[in-house]
Amino acid sequence: DGPTEVPTTNSLLPDLDMEVFYITLKLSFNRVVDSTGSGKLDFLSWIDKIKNLQDDDFDNALKHYVIAHIESTRAIDLGGTFQGKMRQKIYDRLKDPGTRAKLNDMISRWILGGNGTYNVTSLVNDGQHLTIDYLVPAYKLDPFPDSLIRPAGWPSKKLPLPKKLKEIEHIVVLTMENRSFDHMLGYLSLPVNAGGMGRSEIDGLKGTEYNSFENQTYPSFAHKPGDTAFPVDPAHSYEPVFGQINADLDGDKNAIPGTGKMDGFVKSMFIDKFSGAGSIIMGHQPAENVPVYDALVRDFGISHRWFASHPGPTFCNRFYELTGRLNLASGLNADTPPISADTWEFSNSSPLTPVFNKTIFDHLTDRGVSWKYYEHGYSFLRFFSEYTFDDINLVDATDPTKGFFSDAKNGSLPSVSFIDPHFIELPPGASADGPVADIKQGQDLVQRVVEAVVTSPNFENTLLIITYDEHGGFFDHVPPPAAVPFNNEFPIKSYGVRVPAFFISPRVKAGSVFGHDPSEKTTALYFDHTSILKTIATRFMNADPPYMGARYAAAADLSPVLQASPRKTQFLPFIRYNLFHLGYAMYLDIMGGIPTGPVTGMFVKTNTDEQDFSFEQWGKHIYIRSRIGRKYITVDIPDGNTAQPPQGFGIKLDVKYDGHGDLKILNPEYQRWKFTPLNAPGEENLFIITNAHFPNKILQPQATGQNGAPLGLINKPPTLTASNGWRVTSPLLFT
């Protein structure tokens, strides 16, 4: 899109305005022997094959290996001349010995793993399978052998399996990108009149947080509704992160854990040359910008003491999540000074070099436990040489027959599922939340994943964990506490910055919060990414648990978030439902989509959020929550007078009442509804809806014949018929 890509002054070759343009470079696989007698891979041997061809023969051969595809807006030439020149330029560059060697080295790293310089002893290509034999030093193939790092007596017996965890048959993990707890969920603890939920039991923002830089104060603030795309990517390598934790100790990895002032976020932004945007790092998302999370904290559980495993960037934390430890450098790292081979990587790998390390999935396979890794485009697991080209265990999440959404729907989820978002950071399609991505895309992905789990036949015995790999440089006010290091020489002894974490299961109490600091009576309960490994090992490998490092060994598993039995609900939590009044043949609707507006009971089907509601179980009653603004269907008693007016009580949307304040006006029973099945012929999902405070009245439209009729409570007629009933359906469940 945009202006002409290739302008020209040649009248015979008009401007080239491209609509589609891509280049494909085909490779050949050959083994060659270098001067030392070591076998190497050459992927460009076709250059030698065609270099002596002439004219048309050469052009036709080159077209086979270098494809420059162009679709143009013009009828003349269609880019043919341009394509020819481009193919020739690419060929001229590739035949340069230095360029050819660089490309061969890069591809060898991905084909062979590690630094790719291993002796290739044979290569067989039968047209269907490519088999390469090569020699890798044992310490590279297994850099963390049990014989060297597994403590004596680990474990003394098998890991104890809590009964609550034993009932979980499916563990699903979705790890998003680069946001802190305060940035995404800090609003929860703010007062309702300040845009929060008044959740005092959650350690979120108080409204008094700030950072200072060069004698200027930068307070925390809420982003505007709809302001969901962050304009820059804040620094979050390990040295800047220590400066963010404590501005007086920039890059000091020896800082005492738990003592950080969390005062260096603005300074980090200014130092990183984002001077025009330095203050925005103190911003947090309001509920309007994270509607899916706002629903999840009501319907399921969260942790406000889940920390990134490492005070640094994405790769480090994802290595912790899959292996229990940081990665070892390949020796090719382009840092200054260079990082020696086999030393810890405290920041992202550069260049990417697929590693040989064992992951949790190797251990699951060894013990016969089923698993899949679902990806969007590609996944982090492909950075492990065992899985770089795996098309069995690594599956496109959206594959219609074997992807995550298909498996969830069909009740065929494996024991362990990992899901990676789409890691690109530019819209459209960037669903990982890493800046500068629009978090609307991430909210959409999370909603689809949660809906798939909740509606799955596997739901009753499933635990879905949603978290973030690291904080991405965004402000959080809780200093990372001490964490178990890999060994006594390991220089980093604290967790990374706090990140959001959600627990979705019918065995998780709605609205629950987990994690706490130590006190006189209790030890600390902290979670990090190795808690996922510990949970998987405890549940599925407790008789023969692998050892995945000291942090993993000390990690808390996630059994504390579970209840002994699944909660029984009349309707599934979180997912969207529609309420259709049979007598008036119209849907419950939010007037104009305004969360503070009136509720109406007479609108034709619109297939919009205005007609979507979720249900929260409360004993035998249910809260009806609008999907717009997450407000609740409430009997309107503005003056506390419960004497029924002639036209019946009105209905409004309001925040959830907590049992405090003036109970004549803010009585929680005004928001609690009972759905009684009405056994009408041919109607399986038809209900009479009554209010907890007014059980002898029913929810009905108060007028007839037109859109926009108000909703209200009227006296229950002596005989209830189907015309009094509400048909409750969900597009995710019923046709």
Side-chain angles (χ1 to χ4, degrees):
D1 194 14
T4 298
E5 285 79 14
V6 186
T8 179
T9 58
N10 188 330
S11 60
L12 297 178
L13 296 173
D15 293 346
L16 184 59
D17 186 5
M18 300 180 188
E19 293 184 322
V20 177
F21 171 46
Y22 61 81
I23 294 171
T24 300
L25 177 63
K26 292 190 176 181
L27 305 178
S28 52
F29 281 70
N30 281 280
R31 175 181 175 269
V32 296
V33 178
D34 64 15
S35 58
T36 68
S38 179
K40 302 295 180 186
L41 293 177
D42 180 16
F43 305 96
L44 299 173
S45 59
W46 58 264
I47 292 177
D48 301 325
K49 180 179 179 181
I50 73 170
K51 66 182 180 181
N52 294 322
L53 298 177
Q54 301 297 316
D55 302 330
D56 290 346
D57 291 337
F58 174 83
D59 291 338
N60 290 330
L62 184 58
K63 287 179 183 179
H64 176 75
Y65 293 104
V66 179
I67 300 169
H69 180 89
I70 296 174
E71 295 176 23
S72 171
T73 58
R74 70 168 195 245
I76 301 174
D77 185 50
L78 297 176
T81 302
F82 182 82
Q83 288 171 292
K85 290 184 176 181
M86 179 165 286
R87 283 193 296 269
Q88 185 65 47
K89 285 180 177 290
I90 292 172
Y91 172 78
D92 290 343
R93 179 61 63 90
L94 291 178
K95 71 179 182 180
D96 170 69
T99 301
R100 183 170 173 176
K102 284 183 179 180
L103 191 60
N104 276 330
D105 288 346
M106 185 270 286
I107 301 173
S108 292
R109 291 199 298 272
W110 286 97
I111 298 296
L112 304 180
N115 61 19
T117 60
Y118 310 111
N119 180 15
V120 177
T121 57
S122 71
L123 184 152
V124 178
N125 183 356
D126 65 5
Q128 294 294 323
H129 302 91
L130 185 69
T131 305
I132 304 172
D133 293 322
Y134 57 105
L135 305 176
V136 180
Y139 76 94
K140 290 284 189 184
L141 278 176
D142 191 5
F144 304 103
D146 279 2
S147 59
L148 294 181
I149 68 168
R150 185 170 181 150
W154 161 265
S156 56
K157 295 182 180 178
K158 63 183 181 181
L159 290 175
L161 176 56
K163 186 176 185 301
K164 295 186 296 183
L165 190 57
K166 185 178 181 180
E167 301 301 319
I168 296 296
E169 298 176 2
H170 308 276
I171 294 175
V172 181
V173 181
L174 168 63
T175 305
M176 305 291 283
E177 284 275 306
N178 298 22
R179 302 281 171 159
S180 71
F181 182 94
D182 276 346
H183 180 73
M184 300 298 272
L185 296 178
Y187 77 93
L188 293 171
S189 57
L190 293 172
V192 174
N193 60 10
M197 286 182 65
R199 297 282 300 271
S200 59
E201 79 279 20
I202 295 175
D203 189 1
L205 295 166
K206 307 297 186 294
T208 58
E209 294 81 6
Y210 68 91
N211 271 194
S212 297
F213 182 66
E214 294 185 345
N215 300 317
Q216 187 169 347
T217 297
Y218 299 90
S220 64
F221 68 94
H223 289 290
K224 296 179 181 179
D227 186 11
T228 52
F230 204 75
V232 296
D233 188 12
H236 47 278
S237 294
Y238 88 101
E239 288 185 348
V241 171
F242 280 102
Q244 293 162 8
I245 293 171
N246 196 328
D248 295 331
L249 298 171
D250 274 350
D252 186 357
K253 57 182 176 291
N254 295 311
I256 300 174
T259 63
K261 300 176 183 178
M262 310 306 284
D263 61 349
F265 293 87
V266 171
K267 179 180 178 180
S268 176
M269 286 286 283
F270 277 97
I271 290 175
D272 209 27
K273 299 181 177 61
F274 296 136
S275 56
S279 62
I280 63 173
I281 202 64
M282 299 299 294
H284 66 269
Q285 299 297 342
E288 293 88 340
N289 290 353
V290 286
V292 177
Y293 290 169
D294 193 70
L296 287 178
V297 299
R298 303 166 193 247
D299 294 328
F300 299 104
I302 65 169
S303 173
H304 60 175
R305 284 297 182 272
W306 188 298
F307 297 91
S309 296
H310 172 73
T314 290
F315 287 6
C316 302
N317 282 288
R318 289 186 180 267
F319 275 119
Y320 260 110
E321 186 179 58
L322 299 191
T323 70
R325 53 183 73 89
L326 290 176
N327 188 44
L328 297 176
S330 66
L332 300 176
N333 301 63
D335 300 70
T336 304
I339 300 177
S340 301
D342 305 320
T343 56
W344 296 110
E345 285 184 341
F346 296 131
S347 286
N348 286 341
S349 311
S350 179
L352 300 179
T353 53
V355 299
F356 299 109
N357 304 0
K358 270 197 168 187
T359 69
I360 186 68
F361 307 107
D362 296 285
H363 297 299
L364 290 170
T365 298
D366 290 345
R367 291 157 179 82
V369 180
S370 62
W371 65 272
K372 274 187 182 181
Y373 205 116
Y374 302 94
E375 58 189 6
H376 290 83
Y378 67 94
S379 60
F380 187 75
L381 189 57
R382 294 209 181 270
F383 295 162
F384 293 79
S385 58
E386 180 76 12
Y387 303 107
T388 300
F389 300 102
D390 188 332
D391 62 354
I392 303 298
N393 301 293
L394 280 72
V395 182
D396 186 326
T398 62
D399 187 286
T401 59
K402 57 183 180 179
F404 171 75
F405 300 100
S406 172
D407 284 348
K409 182 177 180 179
N410 296 330
S412 55
L413 287 173
S415 297
V416 177
S417 303
F418 272 59
I419 308 167
D420 274 354
H422 198 184
F423 286 119
I424 63 168
E425 295 178 346
L426 294 173
S431 62
D433 280 357
V436 294
D438 190 331
I439 62 171
K440 289 179 183 177
Q441 301 293 321
Q443 290 289 284
D444 178 66
L445 172 63
V446 171
Q447 177 174 316
R448 289 188 289 114
V449 169
V450 175
E451 288 177 342
V453 168
V454 171
T455 59
S456 172
N458 300 134
F459 180 48
E460 182 171 310
N461 302 106
T462 297
L463 172 61
L464 166 62
I465 305 154
I466 301 173
T467 189
Y468 281 73
D469 56 6
E470 42 103 355
H471 78 299
F474 289 93
F475 173 76
D476 193 87
H477 78 278
V478 175
V484 175
F486 181 78
N487 55 32
N488 292 333
E489 291 76 35
F490 194 70
I492 299 177
K493 296 178 173 60
S494 78
Y495 292 108
V497 177
R498 191 173 60 146
V499 294
F502 303 86
F503 310 113
I504 292 91
S505 174
R507 299 172 185 272
V508 175
K509 182 180 178 181
S512 52
V513 184
F514 300 97
H516 53 259
D517 297 325
S519 67
E520 293 181 358
K521 297 182 179 180
T522 62
T523 58
L525 179 60
Y526 297 139
F527 301 111
D528 80 312
H529 305 330
T530 63
S531 295
I532 298 172
L533 302 178
K534 191 66 168 291
T535 304
I536 293 171
T538 301
R539 172 57 187 90
F540 297 112
M541 299 181 283
N542 71 306
D544 180 24
Y547 184 77
M548 302 184 72
R551 175 78 63 82
Y552 148 89
D557 66 46
L558 297 176
S559 57
V561 313
L562 300 170
Q563 299 184 109
S565 58
R567 36 183 171 122
K568 301 299 182 182
T569 58
Q570 190 172 6
F571 302 101
L572 290 172
F574 182 80
I575 70 168
R576 58 192 187 273
Y577 285 90
N578 306 126
L579 289 85
F580 177 80
H581 192 272
L582 207 63
Y584 290 82
M586 291 189 183
Y587 286 83
L588 180 64
D589 193 292
I590 304 303
M591 176 72 78
I594 303 173
T596 56
V599 181
T600 64
M602 301 253 330
F603 257 79
V604 296
K605 188 174 182 64
T606 60
N607 294 315
T608 62
D609 291 345
E610 285 90 335
Q611 295 181 349
D612 288 342
F613 298 86
S614 294
F615 298 134
E616 300 176 18
Q617 195 81 27
W618 180 273
K620 295 181 179 180
H621 291 89
I622 291 172
Y623 288 93
I624 306 174
R625 187 178 73 227
S626 171
R627 301 276 290 198
I628 295 180
R630 281 80 53 208
K631 299 289 182 68
Y632 294 83
I633 303 297
T634 308
V635 183
D636 188 7
I637 312 289
D639 56 3
N641 182 3
T642 57
Q644 180 172 321
Q647 72 277 15
F649 292 106
I651 301 297
K652 65 179 180 180
L653 284 171
D654 210 344
V655 297
K656 196 172 188 178
Y657 299 160
D658 59 5
H660 298 90
D662 186 349
L663 293 184
K664 290 183 178 180
I665 298 174
L666 305 176
N667 189 336
E669 287 196 345
Y670 298 162
Q671 299 181 323
R672 297 172 186 163
W673 304 89
K674 187 174 182 180
F675 286 64
T676 303
L678 186 62
N679 297 319
E683 291 287 349
E684 296 181 0
N685 306 302
L686 199 63
F687 301 88
I688 297 297
I689 303 178
T690 55
N691 181 258
H693 195 77
F694 303 98
N696 294 320
K697 303 182 187 302
I698 63 173
L699 186 67
Q700 295 282 279
Q702 291 183 326
T704 62
Q706 59 182 356
N707 282 333
L711 193 70
L713 277 182
I714 66 170
N715 291 329
K716 185 187 296 185
T719 302
L720 293 169
T721 66
S723 63
N724 301 121
W726 295 86
R727 184 189 296 148
V728 180
T729 58
S730 170
L732 301 174
L733 296 174
F734 310 116
T735 57

